[in-house]
Amino acid sequence: MKEKIEFDWSKKLEITDIKDQDVVIETFPADKLERSKYAKFLTQYLISSSYDESKLADLNYVLNLNSEWGSGKSYFLRRWADDLKSNHPVVYIDAWKQDYSEDPLMTVISSLISQLREQAGIDQNSIKIKAPKKLIGLLKAAAPSLARGLSKRYLGIDPVKIMESDEEETIGDVKDENGNPIDMGFAASKIVEQLINEHDSKAVAIKHLKLKVNKWIELVVQEKSLSKPAFVFIDELDRCRPSYAVEMLETIKHIFDIPGVVFVVATDTEQLQHAVKAIYGIGFDARVYLSRFFNSRFSLKAPNLENLLEVHCDIQKLSKEYFDKLNILVWPVNDGYSLTLDNITAVLNAFKLSPRSAIQITERIIATLSNLNQNAKIDLIMLTTLLCIREKEESLYEEIITKKFKREESGMNLVLNKYLSNNFSIEKENIKINISISEFTAHFDNNNSRFLKDGIHIVDYNYYLSNIFTVFLNKKFTTFKGTSTNGVGKISSILQTRDKLQALNNNETTNFNGISAQLWIQYSYLYKNLYEVDIGFYQDLVELASSIDWLSEE
């Protein structure tokens, strides 16, 4: 046995594949979701589960790797499979890319042959690893036509003619292709005899196939000094046609229950249950049915959302440098993409978005910002919040946009931010805002060091919703310019934030750590004239962005 496998995913990986006679290089970035530890654990678990120490015998094992879309299943499987190749025979099958074949057995066999040949360094024309002749009787596409042809050739009977005849037709009423009457009694008995023989032949063919696969694996083990078990990874099964997905599971269960072979079937199990119900009916217990096919299920832990977005989205387009190139103002103003991504993630977490929805919304945000007109200004947290609300509860979004929001609790009207706080995880999240205090203080009557320092200031998301988001949505006030050259807008409904800050600054006993930071955030909003943006602007952006669904693979 070779040395212990090292699962180091700290660097990017390039995997070369041959597809349609073309060389394709797939790049997998460094692991930011800290998944290599799961690969290490599962490898040891499956190796021990595929061998019976008491009987000194190899075992078959089927693991369901469960993880929802967007959480990195395919990335995880490809990197895991690549590491295992140094110690074990490995086959990786993307079921969704091969469900055109109509026959899952052909998909698995062709993948076994081509990939085991490649791993063993055996020529593709070598007879050491090739499809057995008896396989043809097991293939779904070939079996019906072969059976009909053999019946006509050796029995002189076309089974289709018999199946098309009425149950009440008598002997002599059914004719063969030459117009001669068929003896139904003789024909029926011959067909039944043939079906029994075919069933027995299939059992022999399955046994023969299992022996062949075992020999192929032993050959790879010997040629490359590898160890058992062999690992066969089935990816993207939940994306396949329901009939194909179910037949693939049946194939693995009944044909490939081969000692020394481990199957890892990666699915979003909830989606796979929907596929099963599409075949057997909505009332069918798909969960129990699927449990028949797997020895165990391992669910990948939900990834850190921020790390997930870094993997899936072009987050470089969330930096101030990128916004400056577009000549747009994005508030909160942050230098790099990191703080902006933190704020987007906080809003996504507040609304309990799934990984898939989180990726979709982040992609929509990036696309929206990249296509704004020059000199546009936008509140990124406002846009993200509206996108999340529309994603979670479209009727609520429509009420907010049309200013028809009305909810009651215990006979009392609820304000919007209170409703959001009651129904989502609003109070658990914070937003980070980089404020250049020195940019503002020159316009105050008494500029001294008691003002907060430039830098990152944190407020809870609920404060933003109460004092900026809802104020913006319900604004019925007028904006007017101050007399000073800086043109800072004063808005009466914000309780004259600048005056409050001035009063705080003049008060020697004021603690600036709390309320002052919140007021500075409000003031920066005023200073950038973001209240002058029309709600229709955000509505157009949300509706345009929401019309786009990214359908890319994980």
Side-chain angles (χ1 to χ4, degrees):
M1 183 173 179
K2 289 195 172 186
E3 294 180 2
K4 195 172 182 179
I5 304 170
E6 291 295 329
F7 295 94
D8 181 6
W9 296 2
S10 60
K11 298 178 181 178
K12 74 175 182 179
L13 171 70
E14 291 186 346
I15 297 178
T16 303
D17 285 331
I18 306 296
K19 295 181 180 178
D20 299 325
Q21 298 183 337
D22 293 327
V23 177
V24 178
I25 299 177
E26 291 187 76
T27 301
F28 298 86
D31 177 27
K32 294 184 179 180
L33 303 182
E34 300 181 350
R35 292 297 177 84
S36 60
K37 60 184 177 184
Y38 299 124
K40 181 178 180 180
F41 168 78
L42 285 172
T43 298
Q44 297 306 314
Y45 172 75
L46 292 172
I47 289 173
S48 63
S49 298
S50 63
Y51 189 77
D52 188 335
E53 291 283 356
S54 62
K55 297 180 181 178
L56 302 178
D58 291 321
L59 302 173
N60 173 254
Y61 201 89
V62 184
L63 174 75
N64 177 209
L65 182 73
N66 173 41
S67 183
E68 62 184 308
W69 186 98
S71 56
K73 288 192 302 295
S74 293
Y75 174 93
F76 178 74
L77 249 62
R78 293 305 300 272
R79 294 213 67 155
W80 184 14
D82 189 75
D83 281 345
L84 286 175
K85 283 183 179 179
S86 61
N87 284 58
H88 298 271
V90 173
V91 174
Y92 173 85
I93 301 170
D94 187 328
W96 184 67
K97 288 183 179 178
Q98 298 196 50
D99 75 347
Y100 62 83
S101 73
E102 299 291 339
D103 195 336
L105 177 58
M106 177 60 81
T107 296
V108 177
I109 285 294
S110 62
S111 298
L112 280 169
I113 290 173
S114 62
Q115 294 185 42
L116 290 178
R117 274 179 179 168
E118 181 183 354
Q119 195 170 355
I122 296 173
D123 185 82
Q124 63 177 357
N125 297 317
S126 172
I127 61 171
K128 291 181 179 180
I129 299 180
K130 71 171 187 176
K133 293 178 181 178
K134 292 183 179 181
L135 172 65
I136 197 167
L138 299 176
L139 298 178
K140 185 174 69 171
S145 57
L146 280 173
R148 184 181 182 188
L150 290 172
S151 293
K152 290 172 70 176
R153 179 177 178 183
Y154 294 109
L155 303 177
I157 299 166
D158 187 348
V160 174
K161 286 283 187 181
I162 295 174
M163 289 186 287
E164 289 177 345
S165 65
D166 293 334
E167 187 68 28
E168 302 301 322
E169 285 190 278
T170 59
I171 296 172
D173 290 339
V174 182
K175 295 179 172 40
D176 63 21
E177 59 187 8
N178 297 319
N180 300 316
I182 295 176
D183 183 338
M184 293 293 288
F186 171 76
S189 65
K190 284 295 183 182
I191 292 298
V192 170
E193 180 183 337
Q194 182 179 335
L195 290 174
I196 291 173
N197 290 337
E198 183 184 351
H199 179 270
D200 291 342
S201 296
K202 280 187 176 181
V204 172
I206 289 173
K207 183 178 180 181
H208 183 74
L209 177 60
K210 291 179 180 179
L211 291 173
K212 279 287 186 183
V213 173
N214 235 328
K215 286 184 178 179
W216 298 344
I217 291 169
E218 289 289 353
L219 178 62
V220 178
V221 167
Q222 292 171 11
E223 290 285 337
K224 295 298 179 181
S225 300
L226 303 179
S227 302
K228 283 190 173 182
F231 287 82
V232 181
F233 295 94
I234 309 288
D235 197 8
E236 303 282 22
L237 192 61
D238 47 288
R239 297 180 68 185
C240 296
R241 289 174 289 109
S243 59
Y244 185 86
V246 170
E247 288 174 17
M248 175 66 83
L249 291 175
E250 294 281 359
T251 297
I252 295 169
K253 180 72 174 178
H254 300 298
I255 297 180
F256 288 100
D257 57 334
I258 303 170
V261 178
V262 167
F263 277 87
V264 178
V265 183
T267 66
D268 179 339
T269 304
E270 183 177 346
Q271 293 303 315
L272 187 58
Q273 289 178 9
H274 292 316
V276 171
K277 288 181 179 181
I279 299 295
Y280 293 109
I282 194 66
F284 187 75
D285 194 335
R287 184 183 62 82
V288 173
Y289 172 80
L290 288 176
S291 67
R292 295 172 44 222
F293 296 102
F294 306 117
N295 295 96
S296 61
R297 176 173 295 131
F298 183 88
S299 295
L300 283 175
K301 182 181 177 183
N304 176 289
L305 202 54
E306 186 173 349
N307 289 340
L308 184 70
L309 297 178
E310 283 199 59
V311 171
H312 287 275
C313 303
D314 190 359
I315 57 172
Q316 300 296 330
K317 292 182 177 179
L318 295 174
S319 66
K320 185 176 183 298
E321 180 183 6
Y322 183 75
F323 300 149
D324 288 345
K325 287 180 182 178
L326 297 175
N327 196 23
I328 60 175
L329 170 67
V330 178
W331 187 92
V333 179
N334 292 316
D335 292 334
Y337 67 78
S338 180
L339 288 179
T340 302
L341 186 60
D342 285 347
N343 288 334
I344 292 173
T345 303
V347 179
L348 295 171
N349 281 329
F351 285 93
K352 305 175 183 177
L353 270 297
S354 68
R356 177 172 188 165
S357 295
I359 293 169
Q360 296 270 19
I361 286 178
T362 305
E363 290 284 8
R364 289 168 183 167
I365 292 168
I366 292 171
T368 298
L369 297 177
S370 299
N371 288 281
L372 287 178
N373 293 329
Q374 286 194 3
N375 300 315
K377 60 182 68 174
I378 187 171
D379 173 358
L380 184 64
I381 301 173
M382 177 84 64
L383 176 64
T384 308
T385 301
L386 290 171
L387 283 167
C388 288
I389 292 173
R390 193 178 193 277
E391 181 76 16
K392 296 292 288 189
E393 196 174 333
E394 189 163 358
S395 60
L396 173 62
Y397 168 79
E398 293 295 337
E399 291 176 30
I400 291 171
I401 289 296
T402 57
K403 298 185 179 181
K404 294 180 180 178
F405 171 80
K406 187 175 182 180
R407 293 288 191 281
E408 290 186 359
E409 187 176 285
S410 302
M412 300 180 63
N413 290 333
L414 282 179
V415 294
L416 177 58
N417 62 292
K418 182 63 175 177
Y419 175 81
L420 294 175
S421 181
N422 289 350
N423 288 274
F424 302 102
S425 302
I426 304 301
E427 295 181 353
K428 296 180 180 178
E429 302 300 331
N430 295 318
I431 56 175
K432 302 174 182 178
I433 301 179
N434 187 3
I435 300 179
S436 176
I437 305 294
S438 55
E439 182 183 0
F440 309 136
T441 54
H443 309 298
F444 282 74
D445 297 334
N446 181 19
N447 178 24
N448 64 40
S449 60
R450 295 198 66 251
F451 281 117
L452 289 183
K453 302 299 182 184
D454 290 358
I456 307 301
H457 298 281
I458 299 174
V459 296
D460 62 82
Y461 181 42
N462 195 41
Y463 180 86
Y464 167 85
L465 291 174
S466 302
N467 295 278
I468 294 179
F469 182 75
T470 55
V471 170
F472 176 88
L473 293 174
N474 297 309
K475 58 185 179 182
K476 296 180 181 178
F477 44 77
T478 58
T479 302
F480 59 93
K481 301 292 183 180
T483 56
S484 62
T485 56
N486 64 74
V488 176
K490 290 184 179 180
I491 299 179
S492 58
S493 62
I494 306 299
L495 301 178
Q496 299 184 9
T497 307
R498 185 173 67 173
D499 294 342
K500 293 179 72 173
L501 281 169
Q502 182 69 63
L504 284 171
N505 182 52
N506 294 336
N507 187 341
E508 295 294 330
T509 62
T510 299
N511 182 346
F512 275 72
N513 291 332
I515 188 170
S516 181
Q518 294 174 348
L519 289 173
W520 275 119
I521 287 170
Q522 285 181 242
Y523 190 71
S524 72
Y525 209 82
L526 293 171
Y527 187 85
K528 302 297 183 182
N529 291 323
L530 284 156
Y531 282 104
E532 295 179 353
V533 179
D534 188 79
I535 185 62
F537 170 74
Y538 288 102
Q539 183 179 7
D540 287 343
L541 295 181
V542 169
E543 293 181 3
L544 285 171
S546 298
S547 299
I548 304 173
D549 283 322
W550 274 261
L551 303 176
S552 60
E553 299 170 34
E554 285 190 64

